Amino acid sequence: TASAGISDINGRTFTAGQGFSVEDGATFELFGAETTTLPTLNSGSTVKYTGDGDSLVDNYTLKDLTYYHLTIASVDSGDTFATPNTTEDVDGNFTLTGGTFTAPSSTFTIGGNFTHTGGTFTHNSGTVTLDDVAQTANVSGSTTFNNLTSVTAGKKITVANGTTQTVSNNFILTGSAGNRISLKGVSGGSQWNLTAVTPNVSYVDARDSNACGGTSVSAVNSVDLGNNSCWSFSQSSPNAVNIQRGVNIRRGTTIQRN
């Protein structure tokens, strides 16, 4: 059991006869091509891929695991890392600091943060979906996505000010009445840039977004929290309440719709 710190197998074959687990706060680190007993990854654990550091271009396929936090931090800039399946689910944070990460061709679901501070994110014509209402998704670094979506009502998304998020196809945010998605810059006062070809936004609270580089965003049933450019906001009209002539309404009376 890896219960704390970093367990680095450093390119070696690793076999655990009884299996092993990586606990909350611990990191299982590997190059990517090792033969290893696959661990059980508990909530809060991290798997980190670094490549072998030989200055050559190597192509790795990630282990077929159920990841909590996933980090791609290749020390060789030309190394590539691909997912083993057409869908991938990271329950916590995804971090890319080095190398090229090729996303799954279908759906890449992330519960927590999307951090891209180095290396290349290749969208592979897939969809990145931000889910898990219990976690705020902090999006940092400029990235080109194919589709970027969140359809989890109440989801909180913050984007690093000054970054540009390019969405080549569909940008979809769908909250619900009374439980809108929150989309804000990390700090107020400056903007982050959204370049989206096909935005589809409803039930969202938005702040600090400049969408002028792409298609203007028409946000339905949404709220403008300020400092947005090339966004328009609309609200559905409430159901009318009909009151017959001659009806007296006393002060303090509350009228409710059916």
Side-chain angles (χ1 to χ4, degrees):
T1 298
S3 59
I6 299 173
S7 298
D8 186 354
I9 63 174
N10 199 29
R12 296 183 293 270
T13 297
F14 175 74
T15 303
Q18 300 299 318
F20 74 106
S21 62
V22 183
E23 302 296 327
D24 181 10
T27 298
F28 181 53
E29 185 173 311
L30 65 164
F31 292 167
E34 296 93 338
T35 299
T36 177
T37 300
L38 297 181
T40 299
L41 302 175
N42 291 317
S43 176
S45 66
T46 299
V47 176
K48 181 179 180 180
Y49 293 88
T50 64
D52 59 14
D54 62 0
S55 299
L56 300 176
V57 175
D58 296 305
N59 300 313
Y60 299 100
T61 299
L62 304 189
K63 305 302 182 185
D64 194 0
L65 296 167
T66 302
Y67 293 96
Y68 194 81
H69 300 313
L70 172 63
T71 297
I72 309 297
S74 179
V75 295
D76 293 329
S77 60
D79 286 354
T80 65
F81 299 82
T83 60
N85 304 304
T86 59
T87 62
E88 194 69 59
D89 192 348
V90 174
D91 291 333
N93 303 327
F94 171 74
T95 302
L96 173 60
T97 64
T100 295
F101 174 76
T102 302
S105 60
S106 181
T107 304
F108 185 29
T109 303
I110 301 169
N113 300 335
F114 181 96
T115 302
H116 178 197
T117 58
T120 301
F121 180 85
T122 301
H123 61 60
N124 199 22
S125 299
T127 297
V128 172
T129 296
L130 306 176
D131 70 348
D132 193 352
V133 70
Q135 300 183 72
T136 296
N138 298 305
V139 179
S140 60
S142 297
T143 302
T144 296
F145 302 92
N146 180 48
N147 301 315
L148 178 61
T149 72
S150 181
V151 293
T152 301
K155 179 70 174 178
K156 292 180 173 59
I157 304 169
T158 61
V159 185
N161 303 79
T163 63
T164 297
Q165 309 307 323
T166 301
V167 185
S168 301
N169 283 298
N170 298 305
F171 175 67
I172 300 173
L173 297 180
T174 307
S176 65
N179 201 16
R180 292 185 293 268
I181 290 174
S182 173
L183 177 68
K184 302 177 182 179
V186 171
S187 58
S190 61
Q191 293 179 313
W192 61 275
N193 301 306
L194 172 65
T195 302
V197 172
T198 308
N200 187 341
V201 175
S202 61
Y203 294 104
V204 169
D205 294 337
R207 188 189 73 192
D208 304 323
S209 173
N210 186 332
C212 297
T215 303
S216 295
V217 179
S218 178
V220 179
N221 293 319
S222 298
V223 175
D224 182 4
L225 298 180
N227 199 28
N228 295 300
S229 302
C230 297
W231 283 65
S232 61
F233 295 83
S234 63
Q235 294 278 347
S236 297
S237 299
N239 297 329
V241 177
N242 296 317
I243 301 175
Q244 294 181 342
R245 181 180 297 176
V247 173
N248 294 318
I249 301 174
R250 295 182 179 180
R251 179 180 298 176
T253 299
T254 300
I255 299 176
Q256 295 180 330
R257 298 197 309 267
N258 292 327

